[in-house]
Amino acid sequence: RLLLDKTGTLTHGSAHVTAYAGDLSLRGAVAALEAQSNHPLARALVKDFDAFAKPGVRAEEVEERLDGGLYGVVDGQPLRVGSLEHLARHGHALSAGLAAEAEAMEAAGHSVVGVASPSEGGRSGGVDAEVAALIALSDTARSDAADVIEGLRRVGWRPEILSGDVDGAVARVASTVGITEFQGRVEPEGKLARVQALQGEGECVCMVGDGVNDAAALAAADVGIAVHGGAEASLAAADVYASRPGLGALADLRSLSRITMRTIRINLGLSLAYNAVGITLAAMGYVDPLVAAILMPVSSASVLTLALVSLGRVGGRRSSSASASDLPEVTLMGTLDGATVSTASQEEPVSCP
């Protein structure tokens, strides 16, 4: 099973603000607070609202939460920005008017972020804790996502989106990339629970993500893959890090893993046969020490040659015009014993070893 995050994984992670409802004076403070986060939506808010920020003003007492929110104090004003679920857990309710706006934004397939500015109470909410503004953001799916997903589906992978975003935004991206199984409003604990549930059913799970909220699921999956531009926590938790943008590295990783395991098996078989023949001939007196000294490095050279030929095959499969610089750019983060998920033959569905 292939589990994918949405924002920054299936999408470019370069969203832009499409609508704003509520207190316009908060836009500058939002930009100052979101400048302390590396989340793709945070970068979008900084880009679109930075013009409204006061020069030299920085957020203090910043606290980023895994459940989709950011708290801080900007120019003496407490501020909380995050998903509507996150704000609700901290006592920030929607007025009737903003509730209708949120519903319309979600129905249009936009990501919805709320802004609250409690006058007292700080992190725990306080009085005047109603949501003060709503921000709608939109992102586009990566150009290679649909082709990569279809290619992996053909060889037996079953894709599913797990996202903390609203259902409407997740459904829009899922439709664009051709994925029929998806869940929105999934918190980090929910992603981890989904990985563990599938493993409990005997499935081999590959998790692909880029955010702090993906870290637990990446660590628990049989293979965790962090995409380019991901948060530091996701890179530390993953088995593999793709060092170029896009999902093309995911398809390359599958090819590289399959060919690597095939090459290992061939090399082991040849080495065993080579040494068995050599030992037999030496025991019969047909191989003297000088000949044996020559034959041993020949064995090592043949193993290296086969490995290099196999790596060249990976580059050649990507494109008829591929160059050496276009070879798969994936970096192993520690051991990748789970990578054998990709070693099945091309005609057979992928299965756990």
Side-chain angles (χ1 to χ4, degrees), residues 135-153:
I135 308 167
L137 300 103
S138 183
D139 199 358
T140 55
R142 295 185 184 274
S143 58
D144 63 347
D147 290 340
V148 171
I149 294 300
E150 179 57 30
L152 293 174
R153 183 187 283 111

Side-chain angles (χ1 to χ4, degrees), residues 70-149:
L70 197 64
Y71 171 86
V73 178
V74 181
D75 201 18
Q77 178 184 29
L79 197 69
R80 190 183 300 279
V81 182
S83 67
L84 299 184
E85 291 76 17
H86 170 81
L87 295 180
R89 278 192 294 272
H90 290 273
H92 305 297
L94 280 171
S95 65
L98 286 184
E101 290 281 359
E103 186 175 345
M105 290 174 176
E106 181 177 344
H110 299 312
S111 302
V112 182
V113 173
V115 184
S117 179
S119 58
E120 297 178 14
R123 291 175 171 79
S124 61
V127 300
D128 300 329
E130 274 196 351
V131 175
L134 293 177
I135 308 167
L137 300 103
S138 183
D139 199 358
T140 55
R142 295 185 184 274
S143 58
D144 63 347
D147 290 340
V148 171
I149 294 300

Side-chain angles (χ1 to χ4, degrees), residues 23-329:
D23 188 349
L24 293 174
S25 67
L26 294 174
R27 290 176 295 180
V30 168
L33 177 59
E34 294 294 336
Q36 307 302 313
S37 173
N38 193 42
H39 192 278
L41 295 185
R43 294 195 294 267
L45 292 172
V46 173
K47 178 184 65 177
D48 289 350
F49 289 166
D50 192 52
F52 304 103
K54 294 180 180 179
V57 173
R58 291 177 54 86
E60 302 174 341
E61 302 179 33
V62 177
E63 180 182 294
E64 187 163 12
R65 301 294 296 270
L66 292 179
D67 60 351
L70 197 64
Y71 171 86
V73 178
V74 181
D75 201 18
Q77 178 184 29
L79 197 69
R80 190 183 300 279
V81 182
S83 67
L84 299 184
E85 291 76 17
H86 170 81
L87 295 180
R89 278 192 294 272
H90 290 273
H92 305 297
L94 280 171
S95 65
L98 286 184
E101 290 281 359
E103 186 175 345
M105 290 174 176
E106 181 177 344
H110 299 312
S111 302
V112 182
V113 173
V115 184
S117 179
S119 58
E120 297 178 14
R123 291 175 171 79
S124 61
V127 300
D128 300 329
E130 274 196 351
V131 175
L134 293 177
I135 308 167
L137 300 103
S138 183
D139 199 358
T140 55
R142 295 185 184 274
S143 58
D144 63 347
D147 290 340
V148 171
I149 294 300
E150 179 57 30
L152 293 174
R153 183 187 283 111
R154 283 199 301 267
V155 295
W157 294 43
R158 184 176 167 186
E160 178 181 341
I161 300 176
L162 297 179
S163 174
D165 208 346
V166 296
D167 295 332
V170 179
R172 178 176 60 83
V173 172
S175 175
T176 301
V177 301
I179 295 178
T180 57
E181 296 182 73
F182 56 88
Q183 297 181 49
R185 305 182 191 275
V186 183
E187 297 182 358
E189 296 83 359
K191 294 183 179 184
L192 174 60
R194 181 60 174 159
V195 169
Q196 293 173 334
L198 290 171
Q199 290 173 329
E201 296 171 3
E203 294 202 43
C204 194
V205 181
C206 176
M207 174 71 195
V208 186
D210 74 319
V212 174
N213 58 349
D214 300 316
L218 287 169
D222 295 283
V223 182
I225 302 174
V227 299
H228 179 269
E232 186 175 342
S234 68
L235 303 184
D239 300 299
V240 182
Y241 164 60
S243 59
R244 73 169 188 269
L247 291 179
L250 186 59
D252 294 336
L253 176 62
R254 179 188 178 276
S255 298
L256 181 60
S257 300
R258 187 181 70 251
I259 292 174
T260 297
M261 293 305 298
R262 186 178 300 162
T263 302
I264 289 173
R265 295 188 182 105
I266 292 173
N267 280 336
L268 285 174
L270 290 177
S271 296
L272 288 173
Y274 188 91
N275 283 284
V277 172
I279 291 172
T280 301
L281 293 176
M284 296 175 64
Y286 292 112
V287 178
D288 59 40
L290 179 59
V291 174
I294 296 173
L295 292 179
M296 285 308 298
V298 171
S299 172
S300 300
S302 63
V303 169
L304 289 174
T305 300
L306 184 57
L308 291 173
V309 169
S310 298
L311 182 60
R313 289 172 57 198
V314 177
R317 288 187 178 193
R318 289 193 57 197
S319 169
S320 59
S321 61
S323 65
S325 61
D326 291 325
L327 287 176
E329 299 176 58

